[in-house]
Amino acid sequence: MEAQSFTLLIFFLVALAGAELSNGSSLQGERKGLFPSYDCPQCKEHVRMSAARPDEKNIDILVTYTDANGAVRTRSINSKDLSTSWVWRYPSNEDGDQKKSAKEVEGKSQKPDKFDSTVEHSNGNENQYGVMVEHKLASELHPIKLKRQRLRNERREQRSAELIQQDKEIENQIQDAAIERAKELDTSSKGKYNIWRKEYENPNSDSTLKLMRDQIIMAKAYATIAKAKNEDSLYDSLMKHSRESQLAIGEATSDAGLQPSALDRAKDMGHVLADAKDQLYDCMTLARKLRVMLQSAETGLNLLKKRSAFLIQLAAKTVPRPLHCLPLLLTTDFFLRRYEEREFPNKEKLEDPSLFHYAIFSDNVLATSVVVNSTILHAKEPEKHVFHIVTDKLNFPAMRMWFLVNPPAGATINVENVDDFTWLNSSYCPVLRQLESARMIEYYFKAHQSNSLTSGTDNLKYRNPKYLSMLNHLRFYLPEVYPKLEKILFLDDDIVVQKDLTLLWSVNLQGMVNGAVETCKESFHRFDKYLNFSNPKISENFDPNACGWAFGMNVFDLKEWRRRNITGIYHHWQEMNEDRTLWKLGTLPPGLITFYNLTYPLDRSWHVLGLGYDPALNKTAIRNGAVVHYNGNYKPWLDLAISKYKSYWSRYVMFNDSYLQLCNISE
């Protein structure tokens, strides 16, 4: 037929063309039909047809259709001329046995018949004979497309593997970082960790407290203005709410410490302040009043600081009653002993240079006992340790009695009286000569005395008894005190030993006289902090940025000391400072001068300082320190002591001793 566009309504009439089945059975109602559709120029829709069983070789199919003019036409097509994409399907028979036979060839993009290209196939529809015809819609992909698809899948899998590996690497990095952070964490301190750490705390945790304090300040300012303007009712209201807010605050340092009624008090105060602002607000007047209040607060704060510092100095220099009781009891029992019972054994070891010798100069019995006990407890060979203790005349019997009753296990000990050193006199020692002078008496005892607590703390420090005691200056005469020793370890009485110190005797001082731990950090504790560099005698001889060091635990090479005449250097500078223009007080400034360029820096772990004034020391450094030093006013035997550091000292106190119990000295 000629190609033309027309609407085609196709009716399939199946004609069975004379062939019977091989078994000779009747075809009356059992014959099934197929309704294929053809590709022909006139056929644009589904074609239904009837067909015999597909096992017949030649089946003629009669097609009836309507052409463009509306005329009904017929055409005959043989089954062998059908496209290879047609499928033959049979429904189940009467007995329920499903029989399938397919003439199925995968569709290709060829046109075997002119009807195949334009006629749509019916999908899943049965004809009146129960035969269903399906067309296979899928076609085989081109090899190039298959290769692209395969490469795309491979890239997708490779990318997935890379992302998984990257996630694993990131996870491992996070774990390693967490482990390193955990190692650096100081678990010795009771801090806040994880979500309770300080950086995670609410930054506005004291917002209500600050608001109430600000309200009180404003209320006082408005109250003063109200009183000046005779606004008595407003004045009374402001002062009343001020007192109530102050009571609600109490001693709180954050919102958590406020009383439950604090928020209500803040709201009430807000209403009163709003009324006061409406009635009294004048920018200039209020600004002047707040400025006056600020100046008054600063003056009061400075006064409180001076009083606090004065009282701390006074408390630090005052002997508590239990510590005053202890030497009294010991002194009494000492004089009750026979003379031969007052001597220490092993005197032959006192001048043996092959042993480990310690020098302790103190008038505090309890503190000295802690130094000795802590040293012996950590010594690997206690029998090789010798302690030389020097005290004053007042405490000599008590100090001697304590170590007679409580001798250090295995170690040798000797207690001497500084007044027995007859060579230590004013003709030889410049410090003694200066202390006896009228000018020094005037300086220490009269010129700087004050009638109030507000005169400052330096004046009180100048009158500190330890600066007037020869025990404090005796460290500059070690070769004279111990003429037969070659090396000695000097210890203050406010230190605690936590490790074996015998390795210090094997430290090579490289020709230096003094082995000490340096204390300078950045610009702190350098020479310009202790010496007067405005004086040319100081500025021309010393570097202001030279690093300072600490007394308290020092290794002294006495042979080198004698060779360099260190005591003579000390005398020279002490005489030059008779008018106190080079330095003001203490033994550290003359020590820095005397041992200038003669001090060997020891590792910081040998000597940890600051337990007597700094509450923010690193606890790990304290635990690892061979010696910890309570330098400062907060000595561990005082109530002023920093509580978290006190245990390092108290663990070496013999609280079960009868003398301590009688004097009520306990933890």
Side-chain angles (χ1 to χ4, degrees), residues 450-498:
S450 60
N451 297 324
S452 68
L453 298 177
T454 63
S455 61
T457 60
D458 286 343
N459 297 333
L460 182 65
K461 290 173 67 176
Y462 297 155
R463 300 194 299 275
N464 191 330
K466 78 174 185 178
Y467 298 123
L468 308 178
S469 172
M470 269 310 299
L471 283 178
N472 203 39
H473 294 268
L474 191 61
R475 65 193 68 188
F476 294 103
Y477 299 95
L478 286 171
E480 287 84 349
V481 179
Y482 309 109
K484 295 186 178 181
L485 299 182
E486 298 178 354
K487 185 174 284 190
I488 196 167
L489 183 63
F490 172 78
L491 298 176
D492 269 345
D493 62 358
D494 54 353
I495 63 100
V496 173
V497 178
Q498 300 185 128

Side-chain angles (χ1 to χ4, degrees), residues 359-379:
I360 306 173
F361 305 150
S362 172
D363 58 0
N364 189 323
V365 176
L366 186 62
T368 305
S369 71
V370 169
V371 176
V372 174
N373 290 343
S374 61
T375 304
I376 291 300
L377 284 175
H378 294 94

Side-chain angles (χ1 to χ4, degrees), residues 274-285:
D275 294 339
K277 182 178 179 181
D278 293 339
Q279 299 181 41
L280 305 174
Y281 182 74
D282 181 3
C283 183
M284 295 300 295
T285 304

